[in-house]
Amino acid sequence: MPARASSQPGRLVGAHTPIAFVQAITQAYALRGLSAEGALTKAQIETSSLDDPQHRVTATQFERLCAAAMQELDDEAPGWFSRRLPWGSYGLLARASITAPTLGVALRRWCRHHGLLTDDVALTVKTSQGHARVEIDERRDLGALREFALLSLLRNLHGLACWWVDAPISLQLAQFPFDAPPHADVYPRLFPGPVRFGATQAALQFDANDLALPLRRDAAALDQMLRRALPIMVWPYRRDAGLSRRVHQLLQQPHAAHTAETLAARLALSPRTLHRQLRGEGTSLQALKDEARRARATELLLRTTQPVARVARAAGFQNDKSFIRAFRQWTGLTPEQYRLTHGGGTP
């Protein structure tokens, strides 16, 4: 359904994304000598609106524009870097990080691997005095697309980090190395918390304790997410927006029966509706069950010295053999190897 027109001419209800961001996408086409008209049409953005500096589009329109541009240009960083990042590049980074035990390990792994895609920028994770920071070191002039490149890198990584731990990560500061643009009002929407312009470099700052948060997603959930990843990057993370959150909460009850029938009854739904609505949110009941089991098992392996058989029962497995088989599929390691590799087992 198209957004309703507001009382303000040329503005749609919920239209907060500045036309400057749309212009950044069209400029990526221009750098290749191509026309963005087709992508604009898919996003239902009028070409004439590009000349209006006050114009705004909806997040859905911008999501569609980005999806079209990234696929048509075969560049997931459209025009930002000296060489393109082919479609699927950021998915590879996410896959390389999904087996990390904690957010800190995942972030450092993602930042390190990003350097394999381009050396135009370097991302690093630093900690100091109880604060954690993801910083961007610019190693090449990013030109006219600099603002959009830097804010997108930080927005994307923050969205992915929230998804990894399945919870909003509160930002203490988002800073950018340029003067406040005319559309500065959109920044608090993208980065909830204090925003500072005119800084020495682009960076996000948050509580260092968040680095110890366990990842609550697995490879199956990642496959589901990557089929429709752009909303995580374009929209602020809101875990409470869907049915999957309520199912996730019910799965945290260790002694309850977690079948489609019992969960659907708790949610006043039919099992068929439960499955259908979860598919609409890009996930499945089995994926959510696996997430809950993996999170519980990982936590016990890293924080306790309980035997593997006891961890298996606590994670909802009937025997340790099926648990070991599933755990190896999740992480590539047996529970004992995982505990040894990641230094777990401390009471």
Side-chain angles (χ1 to χ4, degrees):
M1 293 291 291
R4 294 179 291 107
S6 74
S7 58
Q8 191 174 355
R11 181 68 65 87
L12 300 176
V13 171
H16 302 295
T17 304
I19 200 67
F21 294 176
V22 176
Q23 292 169 341
I25 298 295
T26 61
Q27 188 165 357
Y29 276 87
L31 291 172
R32 300 276 184 86
L34 301 173
S35 170
E37 186 173 349
L40 291 169
T41 299
K42 290 178 182 178
Q44 297 184 326
I45 298 174
E46 296 288 341
T47 305
S48 59
S49 67
L50 296 174
D51 298 323
D52 179 4
Q54 303 300 318
H55 191 79
R56 303 272 174 125
V57 300
T58 67
T60 299
Q61 287 177 298
F62 192 62
E63 175 192 332
R64 291 171 179 169
L65 178 67
C66 290
M70 289 178 183
Q71 293 188 58
E72 290 175 8
L73 299 175
D74 194 21
D75 188 355
E76 290 193 332
W80 306 348
F81 304 132
S82 53
R83 66 181 183 185
R84 63 184 177 86
L85 271 56
W87 181 257
S89 295
Y90 282 115
L92 289 176
L93 296 192
R95 292 186 190 283
S97 302
I98 194 65
T99 57
T102 65
L103 178 61
V105 175
L107 284 174
R108 289 185 173 91
R109 191 179 294 176
W110 194 96
C111 290
R112 184 173 65 253
H113 290 163
H114 193 275
L116 300 177
L117 300 180
T118 178
D119 56 8
D120 292 350
V121 296
L123 291 89
T124 55
V125 180
K126 299 180 180 179
T127 57
S128 176
Q129 299 180 340
H131 305 298
R133 287 170 60 87
V134 178
E135 299 179 348
I136 300 179
D137 177 23
E138 299 175 63
R139 297 181 173 178
R140 182 184 73 85
D141 182 3
L142 299 179
L145 296 182
R146 183 189 188 210
E147 179 201 354
F148 187 59
L150 295 178
L151 79 88
S152 296
L153 279 170
L154 292 182
R155 176 71 201 101
N156 294 356
L157 191 51
H158 182 238
L160 181 61
C162 293
W163 181 85
W164 272 332
V165 301
D166 196 20
I169 296 174
S170 299
L171 294 177
Q172 298 173 342
L173 176 66
Q175 65 178 48
F176 299 91
F178 41 77
D179 294 336
H183 45 269
D185 62 294
V186 78
Y187 276 74
R189 290 180 177 274
L190 298 172
F191 304 96
V195 176
R196 178 189 302 163
F197 296 101
T200 56
Q201 63 183 159
L204 294 181
Q205 180 174 300
F206 51 96
D207 191 328
N209 290 324
D210 290 343
L211 295 175
L213 292 172
L215 267 62
R216 298 192 177 279
R217 305 288 189 170
D218 59 15
L222 179 62
D223 289 338
Q224 293 281 351
M225 186 273 282
L226 289 177
R227 293 173 188 171
R228 199 164 177 271
L230 277 171
I232 287 181
M233 313 310 177
V234 175
W235 300 76
Y237 187 83
R238 292 189 178 93
R239 180 181 158 211
D240 60 351
L243 176 66
S244 57
R245 176 196 63 86
R246 296 159 64 194
V247 174
H248 178 90
Q249 289 177 333
L250 292 175
L251 291 173
Q252 303 311 300
Q253 301 174 9
H255 302 297
H258 297 316
T259 66
E261 290 72 20
T262 58
L263 290 167
R266 294 283 301 274
L267 296 164
L269 300 172
S270 69
R272 183 176 180 180
T273 300
L274 173 66
H275 288 301
R276 177 175 54 79
Q277 291 189 10
L278 288 176
R279 282 197 303 271
E281 295 184 11
T283 187
S284 66
L285 179 57
Q286 188 59 53
L288 292 172
K289 283 184 175 181
D290 287 343
E291 288 178 30
R293 286 179 169 184
R294 178 179 184 268
R296 179 63 174 157
T298 300
E299 182 179 15
L300 291 174
L301 288 171
L302 294 180
R303 302 194 179 205
T304 76
T305 55
Q306 292 183 17
V308 169
R310 187 172 176 183
V311 172
R313 290 193 296 272
F317 289 85
Q318 294 184 350
N319 58 70
D320 55 345
K321 290 184 179 179
S322 60
F323 168 59
I324 293 171
R325 183 168 57 250
F327 199 86
R328 185 183 285 115
Q329 291 176 344
W330 293 335
T331 66
L333 301 172
T334 67
E336 290 288 6
Q337 290 171 333
Y338 186 88
R339 175 177 268 169
L340 180 63
T341 301
H342 297 290
T346 329

